Amino acid sequence: MSSNAPEPPVQKAGSREWLGLAVLALPTLLISLDTSVLYLALPHLAEALQPTGTQTLWIMDVYGFLIAGFLITMGTLGDRIGRRKLLLIGATAVGLTSVAAAYSSSAEALIATRALLGIAAATLMPSTLALISNMFHDPYQRGRAIAVWASCFMGGTALGPVVGGTMLEYFWWGSVFLLGVPVMIVLLIVAPMLLPEYKNENAGRIDLLSVLLSLVSILSIIYGLKELARYGFEPVPVVAIVVGLVVGAVFVKRQGKLADPLLDLKLFKVGSFTASLLILMVSMLGTGGGYLFITGFLQMVEGFSPMKAGLMMVPAAVASIVAAQVAPILAKRYAMSTVIGVGLLIGTIGYLLLVFVDAVGGLPLLMAGFVIIFIGVGTLGALGTGLVVGSVPPERAGSAAGLSSICGDLGSALGIATLGSLGTAVYRDAIAVPAGTPADAAAAAGSSMEDAIAAAGELSGQTGQALLTAAREAFTSGLNAIGVASAIVTVISAVIALTALRKKREAAPAGEGVPEGSLSAS
């Protein structure tokens, strides 16, 4: 048989697969919505449950911590026991823990249920993304499907404040957690009929010590980064990061010795896979820091309520969704590296617009920059994620999906910590406390914008307004600095895309085992 015989045509997805994609979009939308909606519910649940300051932080953070901590484990678990099976188990657990969270009678109970909800939700992201790789074999169709998947995640982030605000206007704080229950019921009914099952029949048992090591490593690093962003350079978060890195090194060394590792290190030999993960993490570093100060500007400088601030984010979300849908079409005509790189360079323009935003009258320029930034985010979200999953063998798609999500989480946490610290440092250096301000109010205003607002509220009209104006100008200076730093980070991501991905595209056909079309659909 000739080695030059034409390859059999790639099977095209039909109506069942596209209906199945609609099912997979439900949990994706839910995760992003659930992450953003709690910010609105916090004042209401604080009044009902009376949590301490530390408990409030854990209520906010424990969900995201445990999602990030279990992503790698759940991605690999789906490869071994079945991706649809894990999705159904996770959906059941999400529904039950959502009800438990809604009816929590104490802060401790809410923290516990949020933790369990995070573990359950960690099954959803890698399972949905890996199933897409099983259902859509044609590279172009797979790109379009992942674009829809990414668009749902982006849309949920913007819808969270709107939906949450509406729920809280008519119901009690726990109602925001019940949003997921009907979604999970629909998923449990429809998924067995529309979604295929896939698992690696040759996989061995999961190494529990590896699970523990990965959990400790990821949680320690993300906890440390978040605490650095919140409190500055303190011993505890630094130690947490060091512990996480050391445990991570032990984890990696163990994976190299196992016959059936939790994380197959050979995946990183696929150049497009490694380059895509790096681009996702670096670009999310800029996005995380920028998003923090943009939303802060809307609420603390413009004075918008969380719900109105959420509405102001809708145009950016729409831009990201449109970009995500257009990107696979462009990738069919142009090299993937070019589309991703140009998308990131467009996002850089948005960050540079932030440099020129003023505290007074700066909203239109901020909104324009925000929309342009998310054009780049949408492009990368669709193509970068697809490139990660499409660069590995089908039996490793769950692991790849988990790594894609964790790289985004780590990049965002790192951006919030580093760029957030930069913005805070600029704020503290730039604030000019008006003469005559009481010493305690001046000290509070010099600490953070949040403290400045609280201090200004306790002063008489003229003095308080002058202090608030100074704080708003200083915060805007921090936003300007974030714009410069995020632009630099995004340019670095674009350069990686335009160079590393292009080189891998040229080298891939013979050597790397990358599926045809996963780097370019041309």
Side-chain angles (χ1 to χ4, degrees):
M1 181 176 178
S2 172
S3 59
N4 295 323
E7 295 183 2
V10 177
Q11 181 182 357
K12 297 279 189 177
S15 58
R16 178 177 177 179
E17 284 77 17
W18 290 107
L19 287 172
L21 176 63
V23 176
L24 293 177
L26 294 175
T28 306
L29 182 68
L30 174 66
I31 291 174
S32 57
L33 192 149
D34 192 61
T35 301
S36 59
V37 76
L38 186 62
Y39 288 96
L40 278 180
L42 188 60
H44 301 268
L45 68 86
E47 182 179 351
L49 302 182
Q50 298 292 310
T52 65
T54 300
Q55 287 174 332
T56 299
L57 294 178
W58 277 109
I59 289 171
M60 296 296 296
D61 290 340
V62 70
Y63 174 77
F65 279 169
L66 289 174
I67 285 182
F70 278 95
L71 278 171
I72 292 177
T73 298
M74 294 305 182
T76 303
L77 182 62
D79 290 340
R80 301 191 181 197
I81 71 169
R83 293 163 187 170
R84 187 182 67 184
K85 181 178 181 179
L86 181 64
L87 178 63
L88 295 177
I89 292 172
T92 303
V94 166
L96 294 175
T97 51
S98 295
V99 173
Y103 292 97
S104 296
S105 58
S106 67
E108 294 84 355
L110 183 57
I111 291 170
T113 53
R114 288 276 293 169
L116 293 173
L117 184 57
I119 296 172
T123 65
L124 304 180
M125 291 287 282
S127 296
T128 54
L129 192 51
L131 280 169
I132 288 175
S133 72
N134 297 138
M135 295 160 59
F136 296 89
H137 303 284
D138 177 73
Y140 176 66
Q141 287 190 324
R142 184 172 61 239
R144 295 299 304 272
I146 290 177
V148 172
W149 178 90
S151 298
C152 288
F153 189 82
M154 299 166 194
T157 302
L159 284 174
V162 180
V163 175
T166 303
M167 295 289 287
L168 291 169
E169 188 172 344
Y170 296 101
F171 306 103
W172 91 113
W173 62 266
S175 64
V176 299
F177 295 111
L178 297 179
L179 289 170
V181 176
V183 172
M184 293 300 103
I185 291 174
V186 172
L187 177 64
L188 289 170
I189 295 172
V190 179
M193 296 183 285
L194 293 177
L195 302 180
E197 182 58 286
Y198 183 93
K199 64 179 178 179
N200 183 3
E201 299 291 349
N202 299 318
R205 293 184 177 182
I206 283 190
D207 179 55
L208 294 181
L209 181 56
S210 294
V211 172
L212 179 62
L213 290 172
S214 70
L215 185 62
V216 172
S217 176
I218 294 169
L219 288 182
S220 298
I221 292 172
I222 291 184
Y223 170 79
L225 290 172
K226 281 184 174 285
E227 292 300 290
L228 282 178
R230 188 172 282 145
Y231 301 114
F233 193 84
E234 297 287 342
V236 172
V238 172
V239 170
I241 293 172
V242 171
V243 169
L245 292 174
V246 171
V247 175
V250 174
F251 169 79
V252 170
K253 187 175 181 179
R254 182 171 179 81
Q255 300 316 291
K257 296 179 179 180
L258 294 174
D260 291 296
L262 184 69
L263 176 61
D264 187 357
L265 300 181
K266 291 193 290 292
L267 293 177
F268 292 97
K269 293 181 180 180
V270 180
S272 57
F273 174 81
T274 304
S276 300
L277 288 178
L278 181 61
I279 294 166
L280 284 169
M281 186 164 67
V282 174
S283 63
M284 282 305 298
L285 191 154
T287 305
Y291 191 84
L292 176 69
F293 264 68
I294 289 171
T295 54
F297 184 95
L298 292 173
Q299 294 185 69
M300 294 185 289
V301 176
E302 293 293 335
F304 294 156
S305 66
M307 185 173 180
K308 188 172 182 180
L311 287 171
M312 299 300 291
M313 291 157 57
V314 170
V318 171
S320 69
I321 291 170
V322 172
Q325 298 304 312
V326 172
I329 299 174
L330 294 175
K332 194 174 183 180
R333 182 171 183 179
Y334 304 102
M336 185 81 76
S337 57
T338 301
V339 180
I340 293 176
V342 171
L344 289 169
L345 290 176
I346 290 173
T348 302
I349 296 172
Y351 286 119
L352 291 176
L353 290 181
L354 300 184
V355 178
F356 303 100
V357 171
D358 291 323
V360 178
L363 182 61
L365 193 59
L366 178 91
M367 293 302 299
F370 200 16
V371 168
I372 295 171
I373 288 166
F374 270 72
I375 292 174
V377 170
T379 302
L380 181 61
L383 298 184
T385 305
L387 193 52
V388 170
V389 177
S391 297
V392 303
E395 63 271 15
R396 297 294 187 187
S399 298
L403 279 171
S404 174
S405 297
I406 193 61
C407 279
D409 287 346
L410 285 173
S412 180
L414 186 60
I416 291 172
T418 56
L419 299 186
S421 297
L422 169 65
T424 300
V426 171
Y427 167 87
R428 290 171 178 171
D429 183 67
I431 188 167
V433 178
T437 303
D440 55 345
S447 176
S448 69
M449 182 68 188
E450 293 86 345
D451 291 341
I453 293 173
E458 297 177 358
L459 300 176
S460 60
Q462 193 77 13
T463 305
Q465 186 59 44
L467 180 61
L468 191 57
T469 299
R472 286 171 173 167
E473 291 175 351
F475 187 87
T476 305
S477 297
L479 173 69
N480 301 150
I482 291 287
V484 174
S486 294
I488 293 172
V489 169
T490 308
V491 166
I492 292 172
S493 299
V495 171
I496 296 173
L498 292 169
T499 55
L501 287 183
R502 185 176 297 277
K503 291 177 182 177
K504 299 307 173 186
R505 178 176 182 267
E506 293 169 352
E512 289 190 327
V514 181
E516 179 69 25
S518 64
L519 293 175
S520 173
S522 59

